[in-house]
Amino acid sequence: MCFISYRNSLTLWSSQVFCFPDGIDNVLFIIVSSVAFPKEIKVQRILRERFCHQSPHDNLFEVQVQYKHLIELLKRTAIHGESNSVLIIGPRGSGKTMLINHALKELMEVEGMSENVLQVHLNGLLQINDKIALKEITRQLNLENVVGDKVFGSFAENLSFLLEALKKGDRTSSCPVIFILDEFDLFAHHKNQTLLYNLLDISQSAQTPVAIIGLTCRLDILELLEKRVKSRFSHRQIHLMNSFSFAQYLKIFKEQLSLPSVFPEKIFAKKWNESVQDLSEERSVREVLQKHFNVSKNLRSLHMLLMLALNRVTPSHPFITAADLMEANQLCSMDSKGNIVHGLSVLEICLIIAMKHLNDIYEEEPFNFQMVYNEFQKFVQRKAHSVYNFEKPVVMKAFEHLQQLELIRPMERTSVNAQREYQLMKLLLDNTQIMNALQKYPNCPTDVRQWATSSLSWL
Amino acid sequence: MAYCSARLRTRQTYLWVGRPSLDQKLHYQTYKEMSLKREGYSTEIHIQVGQFVLIEGDDNENPYVAKLVELFEDDSEPYSKKRARVQRFIRFCEVPVCKQHLLGRKPDTQEIFWYDNPACNSNISVETIIGCVRVVALAPDEVIPIDLKNEKTFFVKLSWNEKKFKPLPPEVFAQLNKLQEDNHRYQKSTEAKTKSTESPSWTTTEHAVKRIESRHSTSKSRHTASHPVTPRARKRLELSSFPRTPNTRISQATSCASLDSPGRMKRKVAFSEIMSPSKRSLPDGSQTLSPALKAPEKTGEIQHSCTKDAKKTSPDHGMILRTRVPALKTTETSEERTLTPTRGGRKSSVAPSVILKPEYIERREGKEPEVQDEATSISRIRRKSSLLTLNRIRQQLRFLGNSKSDQSDEEFLPAAEISDCDSEEEEASTTPLSRRTPNSMSRNLRSSMKSSLQTPSKTPKKTPEPRTPRDATPRIRSRNLAAQEPTNMLEEARLRLHVSAVPESLPCREQEFQDIYNFVESKLLDRTGGCMYISGVPGTGKTATVHEVMRCLQQAAQDSDVPPFQYIEVNGMKLTEPHQVYVQILQKLTGKRATANHAAKLLAKRFCTQGSSQETTVLLVDELDLLWTQKQDVMYNLFDWPTHKEARLVVLTIANTMDLPERIMMNRVSSRLGLTRMSFQPYTHSQLQQILMSRLRHVKAFEDDTIQLVARKVAALSGDARRCLDICRRATEICEFSCQKPDSPGLVTTAHLLEAIDEMFSSSYITAIKNSSVLEQSFLRAILAEFRRSGLEEATLQQVYVQHVALCRMEGLPYPTMSETMAVCSRLGACRLLLVEPSRNDVLLRVRLNVSQDDVLYALKEE
C-alpha cells in the first residue's frame, strides 16, 4: 500500500524528470540510429524540444508591444551607440528570457551586427558577488587578451581595469556592449551595489555605449536599489504580465501542440493537427484547460500539462485524447501530501486522527507523543475489537515514521538528551486534507472513519 | 655611494667650514663651504657653494638635484639653523604625469631639467643634503654622450617652468658650462700630470700593488670598481696632480694621521681591505675622498701620498691615458675595469664582475668564495653575451659616431662598454631579483642607479616587475559599422537629452558654481589647502558642477591666471574597499602603484613633510560615505592632509546626505572637515524647465507646454534632473513609435509625455494583481478575509488555506488542493506581492501582504 502511494508521488516527479528529454532522446537515438524513427517518437521529440527549450525560434505570444520596445532600444544602442538601461519585470515563466533571446537573435540577424555588438550574459545565481561578476565580464569581453595569459589580479585591480577599459571608449567609435543581467534582484544584494552603480554610471556617461538589461521577477526591484544607483537607472521598465484571456490561452494551446509544416511525414502531420483542432473544440478538454488556466496562467505550467499528455503517445495510441489531458491535469493538481497519507498504515492513520483531535481541542497548540498516545489509548479501549492494542514502543516507532515523512514537525531542534515522548510537535496537515485522504483510503475500518469525523463518536 | 646608505644608518653632522661673512642686509651669516661628517667614519665631504648636490626627497631612489647657491645660518628657523639656498633641478618623473607629454620625446634616464619656478621652495635645511653630484649642460639638440652615462652624472638640456619645456636660458647655460669647463681643465692637467709621472712611480710601487692585488684580488677589484663611479673618484685623481683645486676641495682626513708615511698608509689600506670587508665603505670612502687639506705645509706630503695612492690603483692611470675624449669630462668606471683583465690572469675573471653598487658588494661578501670558484665558468658564459652586447653597442656607437671625432676612442670605448654590460649581466644572473636580460643600456643604467641609491642595510627593495596588466591599456574593441548619426529631429533631440551629453553650460547652478570656483581659486592663489563638503540628493548636478569648475580652472591655469595645479578624482563607489582610495590617489598623482598601506605612507610623506616643492593638488572625492571605515582612518587622513602647511591640498568631497559629518563621522574627523559646506537643493520645476530648454535650444521636438508638464511632474516627485531627461527621451521614442510616417514624425505631445511618465512611475502591483490567475486572486481575497477575521496583518498558510477553500466553494471554483495553494503562494511571494517565510515551514509559514489592502481590493474589484 505504501509502495503504491509512493509510486503515485513518484510518477508526479518522474514526469517532471521527463521534462529534460535530451538524455532520453540521445539514448533512443543511439539505440535506433540505423532504424527509421517511428513517427510518434519524432512528434514527441519535436514537441518536447518546444516545451523544454526556450528556443527563440518559436512565436511570441501576446508580448508584441514589449518586444517592439526592447528591440528598438537594442537597435539604438547597437546602431546609434546610445547607452540605455532597462528592466524586464514579470512573474516566473512569463517569458522574460525568451523575449530577450528573441530580440538578440533578431538584432544579430541584421547584417554586420554580430561583429559589431558585444554581449555579456550574467546570472545572479552564478555570479554571486562582484568579484566573480567582474571576472566573468572580462572573460566575456575577451579582455584577457589584453592582459595576456596572466592569472587575474586582485579585485581592486580588476575593477579599475574594467572601468578603465570601458571609460576609454566613446559613443561613435567603440563597439557597443549589451549586458544581460538575469536575476537582477540578486545583484542588488551585492556589497554596496558596486557593480550596478558602475554599469549604470557608464550608461549615463559618455563612455563606451552599453545597454544594461535586467531580468527580474520582483515587482519591488526599484526599492532594492540604493538611491544613487536608482537615480542612474533610466527607469525604463518592460512588464510581462501574462495578460491574456482564456481564448488566447486556447489558441496558444493549439499552436503549441500542432506540428510544423516541415514535418517529414505530411499525412501524419495533417492528421495530428486535425486531431489537435478537434481536441481544442471538445468540451471536456476546454474544462481541463479552463481549470488549469484558473490555477496558473504561465506557459510553463501549460507545457507541463502537455508534456504529461504527450508521454502517453505510443504507436498503438498515436494521438492525444481528452482522457490523456484529464489524467495529466489530475497528476498536475494532485495533492502530494494526501498521496503520502494513502500509503500510511492503520496505526499511523489513527495517530494522525488523534493529532487532529488534539488540534481541535487545544486550538493548534503543539502536542507531544504522550498526549497523542493517550488520545489513541482512549479510542482503543472503547473500540478494542477493530484495532489492535499496540505496545507503546510500536506506537513510538509509527510516530517517528510520521516525523520522517515530515507529516509532523518538532517545534525545536531535536536535542540528544531531551525525552522523545515529550518533545513538542506540530501537525503539518490540514483537516480537510486528512478527511479527503481518509475517504480514499483503501480498507479503512469503519470505526476509524467514524472516529475521524467526531472525537466523541465512541460515546 | 656608501654615503647614501650610511646616511640612513648613522647620524651625520654638518659643519660650516671657513669663516662666516655677515650679510648686512639680512642679518645672517653666510658661508662658502660646509663639511658633512658621518658618525663612526673618519671622513668628511666638503661641499662648496656652486656645486651640485643631492637633496633628500620623497623617495630614496630619486633624490632631488639642485645647485647650491648659498649657505647661511638662520636663527629664525626653529628646527635647523643651518640653511642653504638652492636652485632646483627637476627630474622627468617629478614632472606632473599629465604634463609629461609636453616634452614630446622620451627623456634620457639621466636627464634633468632646470626648474624655472620662482615659487618653488629654494630655502632648505642643510641636513637634507645627501651629497654632491655632477651635472652637465648640453645644447637642446645635443646627443647625450654615451660614455658619460654613469649614474652620478646628470644632463640638463631644457628648463621647465610648470607649463612647458624651454631651452636653457643663455646665461644659465653659460654658467653651467663654466663649471664644466673648470672640471675639464683640471682633468686635462691631471692627465698630463699622471702621464708624466706614471712610469717611474709604477716601478716603485709595483711590488706593493702586486702583492695586494694577488692576495686580495676580489677586495681589490671591488675597491677599484666601487669608487670611480662617483665624481669623487675623478676628483681624487685630479687632486693627485693639483691638490689645491678650487673646485673640488675634497679632503682626505684619514683617522690615522700618518699621511706622511705612504708605506704605512698602504699597509693600512690593505689591512682594512683584508680584514673588514663588511666595513667596505670606510676605506673606500677614505680613499675616494681625497685630501683637501688647506694647510700649505702639508701639501707636499699629501701630494706624495696621493700619487702613491694613485699608483696603487694604477689601472686608473692607464685608463685615463687612453680616454682622451674631448667631449668626455669624466672618467668612466667601466673603462677602468676593462684594463684589469690585461694585468693578471686571475683578476680577469673577477674584476669585471664587480659592480658599482654597495648593495651588490655587500651581497657579494657573503659568497665570495663561490664566486671565485665559479669565476671561470662565468667568464665563459659571459663571453657569449659580451659578443652580443658588443654588436649592440657597436650599432649604437655608429649611430652616435658623428659626434665623436677621435678614432681611437671608438676603438677603446666598445671594450669598455662591454665589460660594463658584462658585469651588469652577471649581476642580473646572480641577484635574486629576476631581471630580464638587459637589452637596453638605459635600463641597465637606470636599474644600477636605483640600486646604488638604495640602502644596502635593508633587504633590497623588490623592484616591481613590470606586469602586463599595469602597462596594458585595455579598451573595448572598436566598432566596425559606423555609428549612425541622428537623421531626424526626434533623434537629434534624444541625443541631446541623454544624460551623458555634456551641455555647454550648467544652467541653474551658477551660484554653486561660483562658490566652488571661488573656494578653489582662493586656495590656489593662497597656496594653502582646505576642505569642502558638498551634499545634495542624487541628480542635482553636484559632480557635474565640480567638473565644470575644474575645467574652467584648468583653462585658467593654462592662461596663467591661477597657479598650475594637479586635479585628481576618486569615487567611493568605484573602489572595492575604502583603503583602495590611497592606491588610486597615488597612482593618479605619480603614476606609481603600491599596496594600500604603502600608498598611505607615501602619500602621508608627500603631504606632511616639509621641504617638498609641489604644486597644489585638487582632490575630488565623490560618494564620500563609501569611505567610511570602523576607525574612520581614511576620512581622517583625507581631511588631515590639507591642514598641513606644506601639503597644498584642496579636498572637495561629495555625498548624498547633508548631515553626513554629524551622523557618521567622529568628532575629530568632522572637525577637520571644517565648516565649508554647500548643499545642492533639488531642482525646482522652473529650473528643470530651464535645463530642458537649454538642451533643446535649437531643436524643435516638443510642444511648448509639454516641457513645463514634465518639469512640474519631476519637481514634485524628486527634483532629479536625470529623471527629467529620461522621461523626455522616452517620450520622443513613444512619439516615434506611435507616428505612422517614419520620415516626418510630429512633435512630442502631452499625451506622449504622460504615457512615458505613467510607464516609469506607475506602480506595477495593481497590474500584476489584475493579470494574475483566478486562483491567485482568490488566494489574495482569502488573505484579506483572514486578516479581517484575526485582526492581524499576518497569517499562517494553514489559516489562509481554510479561508481559501471556503471562498472557492462559494464561488463555484474547483476545490484547491494544498499543493496548488502552496504553488500559488510561492508564485505570489516570488514577485513580492506577498512577503512569505521560507517554504521549509510548510503550512506553518507566515504570509504578509506587500501591498496595501486597499490596493488589493481596488485591483480585485475592477473586473
Side-chain angles (χ1 to χ4, degrees):
Chain A
M1 210 188 303
C2 206
F3 170 74
I4 292 165
S5 78
Y6 277 145
R7 207 187 55 189
N8 271 348
S9 59
L10 266 181
T11 38
L12 186 73
W13 286 108
S14 62
S15 65
Q16 282 170 346
V17 172
F18 268 99
C19 295
F20 308 98
D22 279 351
I24 295 161
D25 277 7
N26 286 341
V27 170
L28 280 176
F29 191 78
I30 292 159
I31 295 167
V32 284
S33 57
S34 56
V35 189
F37 283 122
K39 45 193 175 297
E40 289 77 19
I41 289 180
K42 279 186 205 161
V43 170
Q44 281 185 332
R45 193 171 186 172
I46 287 176
L47 293 183
R48 274 175 185 161
E49 207 161 290
R50 185 184 289 170
F51 298 152
C52 298
H53 297 249
Q54 295 166 334
S55 62
H57 305 282
D58 288 331
N59 297 331
L60 285 168
F61 303 108
E62 312 301 328
V63 287
Q64 273 74 19
V65 181
Q66 289 93 329
Y67 181 70
K68 189 123 188 277
H69 185 175
L70 182 65
I71 190 78
E72 288 292 320
L73 185 134
L74 287 178
K75 276 183 180 163
R76 273 200 307 278
T77 300
I79 296 166
H80 295 274
E82 178 186 306
S83 291
N84 268 315
S85 50
V86 67
L87 276 177
I88 304 175
I89 304 172
R92 298 216 178 274
S94 57
K96 301 180 291 292
T97 310
M98 198 157 81
L99 188 77
I100 181 69
N101 284 346
H102 248 278
L104 285 176
K105 183 171 156 275
E106 190 186 318
L107 187 71
M108 290 306 155
E109 278 165 3
V110 178
E111 200 184 333
M113 195 59 81
S114 50
E115 302 96 65
N116 206 23
V117 174
L118 293 166
Q119 290 181 32
V120 176
H121 292 263
L122 300 176
N123 191 321
L125 292 169
L126 300 177
Q127 281 78 40
I128 51 166
N129 59 38
D130 284 348
K131 191 176 176 181
I132 301 172
L134 284 177
K135 283 189 184 174
E136 185 64 20
I137 292 172
T138 319
R139 192 186 66 75
Q140 292 192 20
L141 287 178
N142 285 329
L143 284 174
E144 311 130 298
N145 296 348
V146 181
V147 184
D149 52 352
K150 187 193 156 275
V151 182
F152 268 90
S154 68
F155 181 24
E157 271 176 34
N158 266 336
L159 181 67
S160 56
F161 174 78
L162 194 69
L163 289 179
E164 199 178 332
L166 291 169
K167 207 175 180 175
K168 282 272 166 59
D170 63 0
R171 188 181 73 84
T172 47
S173 67
S174 294
C175 193
V177 187
I178 297 175
F179 287 92
I180 294 134
L181 307 177
D182 216 339
E183 309 291 345
F184 185 81
D185 46 317
L186 296 179
F187 286 98
H189 294 307
H190 293 181
K191 190 186 162 226
N192 289 342
Q193 305 187 346
T194 309
L195 181 76
L196 292 185
Y197 177 91
N198 286 312
L199 287 182
L200 292 172
D201 196 49
I202 291 162
S203 84
Q204 299 251 312
S205 53
Q207 300 178 3
T208 305
V210 292
I212 318 283
I213 295 157
L215 311 181
T216 182
C217 63
R218 288 185 64 163
L219 297 169
D220 61 345
I221 181 67
L222 285 183
E223 291 157 38
L224 292 180
L225 298 178
E226 226 187 307
K227 56 183 173 180
R228 52 188 148 216
V229 181
K230 194 175 166 185
S231 168
R232 281 166 174 78
F233 170 58
S234 73
H235 279 64
R236 281 158 194 267
Q237 298 163 46
I238 297 175
H239 286 280
L240 295 176
M241 286 297 181
N242 295 326
S243 54
F244 38 73
S245 63
F246 180 64
Q248 286 162 325
Y249 191 74
L250 209 61
K251 218 174 104 196
I252 295 168
F253 163 76
K254 267 190 289 183
E255 266 181 56
Q256 288 284 290
L257 215 52
S258 35
L259 287 174
S261 54
V262 293
F263 194 74
E265 287 174 59
K266 301 284 183 203
I267 308 154
F268 180 79
K270 204 178 162 212
K271 269 192 192 167
W272 174 275
N273 287 348
E274 274 169 10
S275 83
V276 168
Q277 178 64 31
D278 293 344
L279 210 59
S280 70
E281 282 158 16
E282 220 170 300
R283 227 186 95 234
S284 55
V285 173
R286 283 188 175 226
E287 267 170 22
V288 166
L289 286 177
Q290 177 75 55
K291 193 171 172 244
H292 207 77
F293 179 73
N294 282 348
V295 172
S296 161
K297 277 165 105 178
N298 74 36
L299 295 185
R300 237 179 238 169
S301 75
L302 177 67
H303 287 159
M304 175 81 182
L305 181 83
L306 297 181
M307 179 75 82
L308 290 177
L310 185 69
N311 287 343
R312 303 190 157 258
V313 171
T314 56
S316 58
H317 178 75
F319 301 110
I320 294 178
T321 59
D324 292 338
L325 273 174
M326 275 155 79
E327 203 148 334
N329 183 45
Q330 227 165 29
L331 270 180
C332 280
S333 62
M334 190 183 287
D335 185 16
S336 49
K337 265 193 213 154
N339 283 339
I340 295 175
V341 174
H342 288 173
L344 295 178
S345 66
V346 174
L347 172 62
E348 284 158 348
I349 286 278
C350 287
L351 288 181
I352 285 181
I353 293 169
M355 290 171 201
K356 173 180 170 281
H357 290 322
L358 283 174
N359 267 347
D360 290 344
I361 295 162
Y362 298 109
E363 291 181 329
E364 311 282 323
E365 286 297 307
F367 50 83
N368 60 29
F369 170 72
Q370 198 58 48
M371 288 162 79
V372 175
Y373 184 69
N374 288 344
E375 195 72 21
F376 177 62
Q377 282 296 317
K378 271 190 233 165
F379 169 65
V380 169
Q381 276 157 17
R382 308 278 160 153
K383 307 276 180 183
H385 54 278
S386 64
V387 180
Y388 288 114
N389 191 3
F390 293 103
E391 299 282 321
K392 195 174 177 182
V394 177
V395 180
M396 185 69 192
K397 203 73 197 165
F399 190 78
E400 278 172 0
H401 186 227
L402 289 179
Q403 190 183 339
Q404 280 164 7
L405 290 173
E406 292 206 341
L407 293 175
I408 54 173
R409 209 175 68 128
M411 293 293 286
E412 293 107 27
R413 296 208 64 78
T414 333
S415 56
V416 187
N417 49 4
Q419 281 186 297
R420 280 177 301 176
E421 290 94 332
Y422 302 108
Q423 196 172 21
L424 290 177
M425 298 290 210
K426 274 218 159 191
L427 184 62
L428 295 182
L429 282 168
D430 193 63
N431 281 355
T432 50
Q433 268 178 305
I434 299 169
M435 297 313 288
N436 285 342
L438 215 58
Q439 268 167 14
K440 290 180 201 159
Y441 191 82
N443 305 325
C444 182
T446 331
D447 298 342
V448 176
R449 203 166 279 170
Q450 277 175 0
W451 181 44
T453 47
S454 163
S455 60
L456 307 171
S457 64
W458 68 80
L459 292 176
Chain B
M1 230 85 12
Y3 59 80
C4 183
S5 54
R7 184 177 161 70
L8 295 174
R9 272 183 304 185
T10 62
R11 286 187 58 83
Q12 295 186 338
T13 44
Y14 297 84
L15 293 169
W16 297 133
V17 178
R19 301 168 127 254
S21 56
L22 192 68
D23 192 315
Q24 293 298 333
K25 263 189 291 179
L26 296 162
H27 303 290
Y28 53 66
Q29 294 174 315
T30 58
Y31 296 84
K32 284 275 173 233
E33 187 177 343
M34 61 173 282
S35 76
L36 193 159
K37 188 173 179 190
R38 233 165 283 122
E39 209 168 84
Y41 291 82
S42 52
T43 51
E44 292 175 2
I45 300 175
H46 282 237
I47 302 170
Q48 272 195 327
V49 169
Q51 272 189 288
F52 300 98
V53 289
L54 288 174
I55 301 170
E56 214 172 287
D58 283 344
D59 54 354
N60 292 329
E61 293 180 10
N62 289 322
Y64 293 127
V65 184
K67 189 184 149 195
L68 209 54
V69 175
E70 196 178 13
L71 291 165
F72 60 96
E73 187 145 337
D74 190 355
D75 292 334
S76 61
E77 288 286 336
Y79 299 115
S80 63
K81 291 176 179 172
K82 294 189 174 63
R83 311 293 295 179
R85 186 158 290 125
V86 292
Q87 162 61 46
R88 284 179 187 270
F89 292 87
I90 190 161
R91 286 171 196 258
F92 188 67
C93 54
E94 291 162 24
V95 175
V97 184
C98 56
K99 295 196 174 147
Q100 288 185 350
H101 66 273
L102 291 174
L103 182 60
R105 61 180 166 90
K106 237 179 113 58
D108 195 86
T109 44
Q110 298 296 105
E111 186 167 351
I112 53 175
F113 304 96
W114 179 266
Y115 191 49
D116 180 18
N117 184 5
C120 100
N121 181 10
S122 63
N123 184 347
I124 59 161
S125 165
V126 163
E127 280 157 28
T128 56
I129 293 175
I130 299 171
C132 48
V133 76
R134 187 176 137 84
V135 175
V136 178
L138 298 169
D141 49 349
E142 208 169 328
V143 180
I144 291 174
I146 194 157
D147 39 0
L148 264 180
K149 273 193 175 180
N150 80 37
E151 62 211 39
K152 274 294 142 223
T153 311
F154 292 99
F155 304 93
V156 190
K157 284 182 178 177
L158 300 169
S159 75
W160 165 248
N161 64 352
E162 291 291 328
K163 288 193 192 68
K164 50 182 176 250
F165 293 97
K166 279 194 282 200
L168 285 177
E171 67 275 8
V172 174
F173 191 69
Q175 189 191 352
L176 289 170
N177 261 351
K178 203 177 112 263
L179 283 166
Q180 246 170 278
E181 284 301 311
D182 289 347
N183 283 347
H184 185 212
R185 207 173 58 239
Y186 300 138
Q187 191 177 352
K188 278 279 194 184
S189 41
T190 316
E191 283 165 18
K193 180 82 179 178
T194 42
K195 201 182 201 174
S196 62
T197 55
E198 189 196 25
S199 42
S201 55
W202 170 256
T203 46
T204 50
T205 51
E206 194 172 26
H207 177 68
V209 173
K210 281 276 185 194
R211 182 171 54 86
I212 294 162
E213 282 176 351
S214 56
R215 273 178 60 195
H216 312 290
S217 54
T218 43
S219 38
K220 166 73 176 133
S221 56
R222 249 189 285 122
H223 164 75
T224 49
S226 57
H227 60 214
V229 190
T230 62
R232 289 167 301 168
R234 170 178 50 83
K235 284 162 188 166
R236 174 175 53 76
L237 290 170
E238 285 159 9
L239 208 74
S240 60
S241 51
F242 272 98
R244 298 197 56 84
T245 49
N247 178 26
T248 52
R249 314 280 306 265
I250 301 171
S251 66
Q252 181 172 29
T254 39
S255 54
C256 70
S258 60
L259 283 168
D260 45 351
S261 67
R264 259 185 74 189
M265 156 79 182
K266 229 178 283 165
R267 229 172 295 133
K268 187 190 181 297
V269 170
F271 174 77
S272 63
E273 281 175 351
I274 303 155
M275 295 309 289
S276 58
S278 61
K279 286 186 184 169
R280 276 289 309 145
S281 50
L282 169 68
D284 181 26
S286 70
Q287 286 196 338
T288 48
L289 303 178
S290 20
L293 299 183
K294 272 178 271 171
E297 69 273 12
K298 281 194 175 177
T299 314
E301 283 168 9
I302 297 159
Q303 200 168 349
H304 181 61
S305 76
C306 284
T307 37
K308 290 274 180 184
D309 191 44
K311 298 298 149 41
K312 192 170 60 63
T313 56
S314 44
D316 290 354
H317 296 257
M319 175 266 307
I320 287 168
L321 291 172
R322 281 170 181 81
T323 52
R324 237 175 299 132
V325 194
L328 306 183
K329 282 142 197 163
T330 51
T331 58
E332 185 65 45
T333 0
S334 43
E335 290 163 9
E336 176 185 358
R337 268 178 278 131
T338 45
L339 284 170
T340 37
T342 62
R343 275 193 195 247
R346 195 166 159 220
K347 277 181 68 180
S348 62
S349 59
V350 183
S353 71
V354 175
I355 304 290
L356 338 166
K357 293 167 210 154
E359 165 206 5
Y360 176 63
I361 289 164
E362 285 225 338
R363 212 178 304 131
R364 277 288 299 269
E365 280 157 10
K367 38 179 170 173
E368 235 165 16
E370 298 111 81
V371 172
Q372 283 206 347
D373 291 342
E374 288 164 9
T376 39
S377 61
I378 289 171
S379 68
R380 208 169 298 136
I381 297 161
R382 213 169 39 231
R383 197 149 303 141
K384 230 185 252 174
S385 58
S386 71
L387 276 172
L388 275 172
T389 21
L390 175 65
N391 280 338
R392 236 175 272 137
I393 290 156
R394 279 248 169 83
Q395 281 173 2
Q396 198 156 2
L397 280 173
R398 216 167 293 139
F399 173 69
L400 296 169
N402 45 7
S403 66
K404 303 259 158 63
S405 54
D406 200 337
Q407 192 60 35
S408 64
D409 293 331
E410 271 198 35
E411 280 171 12
F412 173 70
L413 273 166
E417 295 289 350
I418 290 158
S419 75
D420 194 23
C421 284
D422 273 352
S423 50
E424 296 274 356
E425 260 170 13
E426 193 192 289
E427 181 237 12
S429 64
T430 47
T431 42
L433 306 179
S434 59
R435 289 226 187 89
R436 288 172 193 175
T437 33
N439 43 11
S440 72
M441 283 291 292
S442 59
R443 183 187 294 175
N444 271 335
L445 282 168
R446 198 184 328 137
S447 64
S448 65
M449 187 182 79
K450 263 189 200 160
S451 44
S452 71
L453 288 164
Q454 271 173 358
T455 53
S457 57
K458 284 186 203 160
T459 47
K461 226 178 269 172
K462 277 199 181 124
T463 38
E465 282 279 299
R467 289 159 71 182
T468 18
R470 301 194 159 173
D471 304 338
T473 48
R475 63 180 300 141
I476 305 293
R477 72 155 199 259
S478 57
R479 60 190 295 153
N480 302 340
L481 297 177
Q484 210 168 1
E485 289 306 316
T487 50
N488 61 29
M489 223 42 155
L490 282 176
E491 283 177 5
E492 175 72 32
R494 203 178 300 139
L495 195 65
R496 283 159 177 262
L497 284 171
H498 199 280
V499 184
S500 68
V502 181
E504 304 93 55
S505 67
L506 282 174
C508 310
R509 286 292 180 225
E510 290 83 8
Q511 185 57 45
E512 286 84 354
F513 176 87
Q514 201 58 48
D515 288 351
I516 300 174
Y517 189 92
N518 289 346
F519 175 81
V520 180
E521 191 189 30
S522 68
K523 298 291 175 202
L524 286 179
L525 291 174
D526 298 349
R527 299 180 182 284
T528 54
C531 297
M532 185 175 206
Y533 177 73
I534 300 167
S535 65
V537 294
T540 48
K542 302 179 294 294
T543 312
T545 308
V546 174
H547 282 169
E548 189 68 22
V549 167
M550 284 305 142
R551 204 157 44 225
C552 289
L553 277 171
Q554 272 163 346
Q555 192 63 47
Q558 291 244 313
D559 304 341
S560 305
D561 294 338
V562 293
F565 65 94
Q566 201 170 358
Y567 171 57
I568 301 170
E569 190 184 338
V570 287
N571 187 328
M573 268 303 222
K574 296 186 177 172
L575 306 170
T576 53
E577 196 256 334
H579 290 95
Q580 287 292 326
V581 76
Y582 298 128
V583 180
Q584 295 240 327
I585 293 175
L586 185 76
Q587 201 209 334
K588 286 173 180 165
L589 207 58
T590 62
K592 278 182 242 166
R593 297 232 188 200
T595 60
N597 284 336
H598 189 224
K601 275 181 206 144
L602 287 179
L603 285 173
K605 192 177 174 193
R606 185 187 168 104
F607 289 127
C608 302
T609 49
Q610 295 196 331
S612 49
S613 67
Q614 300 151 6
E615 55 190 9
T616 308
T617 309
V618 180
L619 174 65
L620 168 65
V621 184
D622 213 342
E623 314 289 0
L624 178 73
D625 49 331
L626 265 297
L627 297 183
W628 187 88
T629 52
Q630 191 63 47
K631 282 166 71 188
Q632 308 201 354
D633 47 344
V634 177
M635 283 183 176
Y636 179 87
N637 277 337
L638 281 180
F639 301 139
D640 190 42
W641 292 333
T643 59
H644 289 269
K645 202 181 107 199
E646 300 288 330
R648 287 198 205 152
L649 178 68
V650 182
V651 178
L652 303 173
T653 54
I654 298 180
N656 282 331
T657 40
M658 204 154 87
D659 58 343
L660 191 76
E662 286 76 30
R663 209 153 41 82
I664 67 166
M665 289 186 199
M666 291 175 189
N667 286 335
R668 57 186 163 137
V669 178
S670 57
S671 138
R672 276 172 175 76
L673 174 57
L675 294 169
T676 321
R677 299 212 192 151
M678 170 174 289
S679 118
F680 279 60
Q681 297 303 319
Y683 289 112
T684 63
H685 68 89
S686 56
Q687 286 175 326
L688 287 174
Q689 200 177 340
Q690 208 180 329
I691 290 168
L692 287 177
M693 294 294 237
S694 77
R695 288 210 179 208
L696 294 170
R697 194 167 294 148
H698 304 296
V699 184
K700 180 68 183 161
F702 282 77
E703 281 181 6
D704 296 332
D705 296 344
T706 49
I707 288 178
Q708 192 177 0
L709 174 84
V710 69
R712 282 186 184 276
K713 279 270 181 193
V714 172
L717 276 166
S718 60
D720 189 337
R722 290 196 186 108
R723 269 310 61 66
C724 212
L725 296 171
D726 281 333
I727 290 172
C728 289
R729 208 150 58 87
R730 178 69 188 134
T732 59
E733 284 167 23
I734 293 172
C735 175
E736 205 170 40
F737 238 25
S738 58
C739 185
Q740 303 307 315
K741 298 165 288 181
D743 6 311
S744 61
L747 295 180
V748 179
T749 62
T750 317
H752 296 140
L753 259 179
L754 282 176
E755 195 185 331
I757 292 170
D758 202 44
E759 213 172 71
M760 287 185 175
F761 292 109
S762 71
S763 159
S764 49
Y765 288 110
I766 290 172
T767 20
I769 294 174
K770 276 183 194 167
N771 285 319
S772 54
S773 71
V774 176
L775 208 62
E776 284 160 358
Q777 289 181 350
S778 77
F779 186 78
L780 285 171
R781 277 206 191 93
I783 290 175
L784 289 183
E786 178 60 30
F787 284 177
R788 206 169 303 140
R789 188 190 69 81
S790 66
L792 297 169
E793 292 281 295
E794 194 177 79
T796 64
L797 181 63
Q798 197 169 12
Q799 289 166 332
V800 179
Y801 179 66
V802 174
Q803 295 282 347
H804 191 201
V805 170
L807 221 92
C808 285
R809 200 168 291 154
M810 262 175 12
E811 289 184 14
L813 290 171
Y815 163 78
T817 60
M818 194 63 174
S819 298
E820 278 174 336
T821 315
M822 201 93 117
V824 164
C825 179
S826 67
R827 271 203 298 271
L828 292 175
C831 59
R832 286 300 189 280
L833 281 168
L834 299 180
L835 297 173
V836 294
E837 279 187 329
S839 56
R840 66 185 158 80
N841 288 343
D842 212 61
V843 293
L844 300 176
L845 65 84
R846 279 171 302 197
V847 180
R848 261 192 289 172
L849 275 179
N850 197 24
V851 207
S852 79
Q853 296 195 15
D854 296 336
D855 281 358
V856 179
L857 276 178
Y858 169 78
L860 293 175
K861 212 182 283 173
E862 281 291 293
E863 287 180 57

